[in-house]
Amino acid sequence: MGSSAEERRFEVLRAIVADFVRTKEPIGSKTLVERHNLGVSSATVRNDMAVLEAEGYITQPHTSSGRIPTEKGYREFVDRLDEIKPLSASERSAIQKFLESGVDLDDVLRRAVKLLAQLTRQVAIVQYPTLSTSSVRHLEVVALTPARLLLVVITDTGRVDQRIVELGDPIDEHDLSRLREVLGGALEGKPLAAASAAVSDLVAQLGGQGRFSDAVGRASTVLVETLVEHHEERLLLGGTANLTRNTADFGGSLRSVLEALEEQVVVLKLLDKQQQAGKVTVRIGHETEAEEMASASVVTTAYGSAGKVYGGMGVVGPTRMDYPGTMANVAAVALYIGEVLGNR
């Protein structure tokens, strides 16, 4: 759409999208002329609507004289948003304060989905930091009893994993601090995959003699299991009830959308494609490439810190959604999750 007539038709499309999102009602030409200062006669608007309909941007629901946007219409609308209108300073600081008071990673992410679901009135999804992007920040070794150790692995993304190691023979204070040193030295500061390899190498270097190397061997086995990527990457969901408030928007397919959210695989796939912090991606209806999500739209981005992506996050809702508002909220929450986790 380039010429002035096309520009005007786009204004008509924009008005139809805005009104339909706000009112849920199909929009007629008369209403458009009354509500929007389009600066042309209703005959022109009717003509524009006929062209938009012929080109597949709007369609007429069977029972109504009005028109509603199609997936193609929403796509055109989203593609023409020049930039995402940022939230106001007070909205931003409210988001930041709420997330900053999170106690730990779990709490920050729980707050993020709760907040995003409230702000957008859709379903919010946040993926836990993928382990493949994390490094080991610190390893703590605590003797619970002389023959039982607690290993605590802390990653730079704020994940804390605790594992118990049963030793064959008890070890003394001296061996305990040596163990802490050897394991910490092998792990700390390394990405998880490299850390896992380094721990395995340790065992080989020590050559497996005596009580100390037995302790290292047992601790290493447990650590390697902890450090290797968990395939059941976790997702947090918030606001599922928001979908059921707009049942009509999904036609008869709300159930399949809810099932897709429950299965998580579909959603993880959508989040995995999203690997650039600061860039918001919108997939409308069939663009989600998931049969179950054909009546839904997914707005996603990545969150992270210092140029590193931790995971994906976003919102699932009906195709009739407030795209500019949803995109702004997703972008803002992502920015602050990254900041809060990066400053820990």
Side-chain angles (χ1 to χ4, degrees):
M1 296 189 180
S3 69
S4 63
E6 282 177 345
E7 279 309 318
R8 193 192 62 238
R9 273 203 294 279
F10 176 67
E11 288 308 315
V12 171
L13 175 62
R14 193 181 352 227
I16 292 172
V17 170
D19 278 10
F20 182 60
V21 167
R22 200 180 66 244
T23 65
K24 297 191 188 188
E25 299 294 330
I27 314 300
S29 55
K30 190 163 162 283
T31 320
L32 279 185
V33 173
E34 283 165 9
R35 275 193 204 145
H36 298 269
N37 184 9
L38 295 166
V40 289
S41 69
S42 48
T44 308
V45 171
R46 267 199 304 281
N47 185 34
D48 284 343
M49 286 174 80
V51 175
L52 288 169
E53 187 165 14
E55 291 178 353
Y57 293 106
I58 58 176
T59 185
Q60 180 173 20
H62 307 304
T63 53
S64 157
S65 58
R67 303 288 182 279
I68 65 172
T70 58
E71 284 183 17
K72 183 180 173 183
Y74 285 125
R75 170 47 60 196
E76 182 73 17
F77 171 80
V78 167
D79 286 347
R80 284 177 173 245
L81 293 171
D82 305 327
E83 64 263 344
I84 302 172
K85 189 170 81 56
L87 303 181
S88 71
S90 65
E91 288 170 316
R92 289 204 303 272
S93 82
I95 292 176
Q96 193 173 10
K97 279 205 185 72
F98 184 62
L99 292 178
E100 271 175 353
S101 45
V103 191
D104 54 15
L105 175 73
D106 292 304
D107 193 25
V108 172
L109 297 187
R110 270 199 302 272
R111 283 164 177 259
V113 287
K114 185 178 170 186
L115 186 62
L116 197 50
Q118 276 171 356
L119 291 170
T120 61
R121 297 198 278 289
Q122 319 279 14
V123 175
I125 42 178
V126 175
Q127 178 185 24
Y128 265 75
T130 48
L131 287 172
S132 50
T133 60
S134 309
S135 304
V136 179
R137 182 183 283 166
H138 182 63
L139 170 74
E140 194 46 67
V141 183
V142 182
L144 299 173
T145 71
R148 242 182 137 194
L149 305 179
L150 175 69
L151 304 180
V152 185
V153 179
I154 301 168
T155 68
D156 61 348
T157 49
R159 266 178 102 125
V160 179
D161 274 309
Q162 303 191 15
R163 294 285 182 274
I164 300 256
V165 182
E166 304 286 355
L167 300 176
D169 299 298
I171 62 171
D172 57 22
E173 276 301 319
H174 171 69
D175 276 350
L176 182 68
S177 63
R178 217 172 114 208
L179 183 70
R180 194 179 288 129
E181 221 164 274
V182 169
L183 291 173
L187 288 177
E188 287 173 8
K190 293 196 178 77
L192 297 199
S196 163
V199 170
S200 306
D201 291 348
L202 254 188
V203 182
Q205 287 159 20
L206 285 166
Q209 287 307 306
R211 179 174 301 195
F212 179 68
S213 63
D214 181 60
V216 172
R218 286 171 188 246
S220 300
T221 309
V222 171
L223 283 170
V224 169
E225 279 170 15
T226 307
L227 296 169
V228 176
E229 183 85 61
H230 296 304
H231 283 296
E232 75 291 359
E233 279 302 349
R234 286 156 65 199
L235 270 187
L236 281 179
L237 270 79
T240 320
N242 287 335
L243 288 187
T244 52
R245 281 223 300 269
N246 300 319
T247 323
D249 282 327
F250 292 94
S253 57
L254 176 60
R255 201 167 148 191
S256 72
V257 174
L258 289 168
E259 280 167 5
L261 287 172
E262 230 160 76
E263 280 172 18
Q264 300 206 347
V265 183
V266 177
V267 186
L268 278 169
K269 234 159 95 190
L270 288 165
L271 291 177
D272 274 347
K273 289 186 180 162
Q274 173 61 52
Q275 284 308 345
Q276 204 182 333
K279 182 173 172 293
V280 175
T281 302
V282 177
R283 295 192 196 78
I284 298 166
H286 290 88
E287 294 172 354
T288 58
E289 290 173 15
E291 188 97 357
E292 312 91 311
M293 304 283 263
S295 60
S297 284
V298 184
V299 177
T300 53
T301 189
Y303 69 93
S305 164
K308 212 158 103 174
V309 167
Y310 292 172
M313 56 165 292
V315 158
V316 177
T319 53
R320 185 190 73 84
M321 75 160 67
D322 164 17
Y323 289 98
T326 302
M327 292 162 76
N329 281 309
V330 166
V333 173
L335 175 72
Y336 290 119
I337 299 179
E339 277 188 12
V340 168
L341 295 179
N343 291 335
R344 293 281 154 124

